[in-house]
């Protein structure tokens, strides 16, 4: 039995392509693995707070020294980190905004990438503390930024996600892209069909 953390970060509702695709995956996964459990978090409608000065003071000091103010400042981060560590697998819906992740998802990342919680620093450099996990990222974008194309250099989303989750130890990452969402009905339909087929393969093989 596995526990899945399912996160959506689009502020859109029913019109969100990334949301519909993550929910399609999780529904199909649960049908194939009814014993598995899922925790759902909606960052698009209920965003994580941004890091502020009290947060930094709390994150870089011993918990036993924390004042009530610092305890409050770090409490959301503690909850999100505990939730991340409790899961075996992750399904994240991440639309592309301005060639990278939405600010809602970046705020979440800033809450969970914590020294001595999800990564450490030693003589060899950075050491990830989150091991044995699998991550599925479903993205959506108005254009297409596939490797080898003239627009590939605009994709800061995939390299960033690989780097930041690799930093904390999550390197088994699968991407499913629903691109060309703003390139007309035919391009959108073709891309959604490809994404749907990739979801079916992921359910069978992930």
């Amino acid at each position: 039995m596995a526990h899945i953390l399912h996160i959506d970060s689009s502020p859109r509702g029913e019109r969100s392509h990334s949301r519909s695709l993550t929910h399609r995956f999780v529904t199909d996964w649960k049908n194939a693995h009814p014993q598995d459990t899922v925790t759902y978090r909606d960052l698009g409608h209920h965003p994580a707070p941004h890091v502020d000065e009290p947060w930094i003071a709390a994150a870089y000091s011993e918990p036993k020294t924390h004042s009530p103010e610092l305890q409050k400042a770090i409490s959301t981060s503690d909850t999100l980190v505990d939730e991340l560590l409790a899961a075996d697998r992750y399904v994240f819906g991440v639309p592309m905004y301005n060639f990278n992740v939405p600010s809602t998802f970046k705020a979440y990342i800033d809450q969970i990438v914590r020294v001595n919680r999800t990564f450490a620093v030693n003589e060899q450099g950075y050491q990830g503390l989150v091991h044995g996990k699998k991550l599925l990222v479903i993205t959506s974008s108005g254009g297409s930024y596939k490797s080898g194309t003239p627009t590939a250099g605009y994709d800061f989303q995939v390299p960033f996600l690989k780097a930041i989750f690799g930093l904390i130890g999550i390197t088994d990452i699968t991407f499913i892209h629903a691109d060309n969402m703003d390139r007309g009905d035919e391009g959108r339909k073709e891309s959604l069909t490809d994404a749907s087929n990739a979801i079916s393969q992921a359910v069978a093989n992930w």
Side-chain angles (χ1 to χ4, degrees):
M1 183 177 74
H3 181 61
I4 295 172
L5 175 59
H6 172 195
I7 291 179
D8 284 321
S9 57
S10 172
R12 303 169 80 187
E14 294 181 356
R15 297 184 301 120
S16 168
H17 299 296
S18 61
R19 281 180 184 271
S20 65
L21 292 170
T22 62
H23 283 264
R24 155 78 192 282
F25 175 87
V26 171
T27 297
D28 290 355
W29 181 270
K30 283 288 292 177
N31 288 336
H33 306 273
Q35 74 281 6
D36 287 1
T37 56
V38 179
T39 293
Y40 179 65
R41 184 168 290 275
D42 187 344
L43 296 175
H45 294 157
H46 305 283
H50 291 289
V51 165
D52 57 15
E53 187 171 359
W55 187 100
I56 295 170
Y60 289 90
S61 60
E62 290 293 330
K64 63 183 179 182
T65 69
H66 289 174
S67 66
E69 179 192 14
L70 295 191
Q71 291 174 7
K72 181 179 179 181
I74 205 69
S75 61
T76 296
S77 178
D78 286 338
T79 297
L80 294 176
V81 170
D82 289 345
E83 188 176 78
L84 181 84
L85 296 177
D88 306 296
R89 297 167 183 251
Y90 312 108
V91 178
F92 295 163
V94 189
M96 176 185 278
Y97 284 7
N98 296 321
F99 310 125
N100 210 320
V101 302
S103 62
T104 51
F105 199 73
K106 178 58 167 61
Y108 171 76
I109 286 173
D110 291 342
Q111 293 287 344
I112 64 167
V113 177
R114 289 230 341 243
V115 66
N116 298 326
R117 289 297 313 273
T118 55
F119 78 97
V121 183
N122 55 33
E123 294 81 2
Q124 287 74 43
Y126 296 115
Q127 178 185 3
L129 301 178
V130 187
H131 301 295
K133 316 285 189 176
K134 289 188 175 185
L135 169 59
L136 172 67
V137 181
I138 299 180
T139 75
S140 60
S141 58
S144 182
Y145 308 94
K146 294 177 181 176
S147 177
T149 67
T151 54
Y154 289 103
D155 179 11
F156 297 94
Q157 182 184 46
V158 169
F160 170 67
L161 292 172
K162 285 182 176 179
I164 198 64
F165 283 106
L167 171 71
I168 65 174
I170 302 172
T171 57
D172 189 342
I173 306 176
T174 300
F175 288 91
I176 295 177
H177 301 291
D179 54 8
N180 286 324
M181 293 295 101
D182 294 338
R183 300 295 172 84
D185 292 341
E186 184 175 344
R188 181 167 55 250
K189 181 179 179 181
E190 180 180 353
S191 184
L192 288 173
T193 297
D194 290 344
S196 181
N197 291 337
I199 285 172
S200 296
Q201 294 178 6
V203 170
N205 301 312
W206 191 47

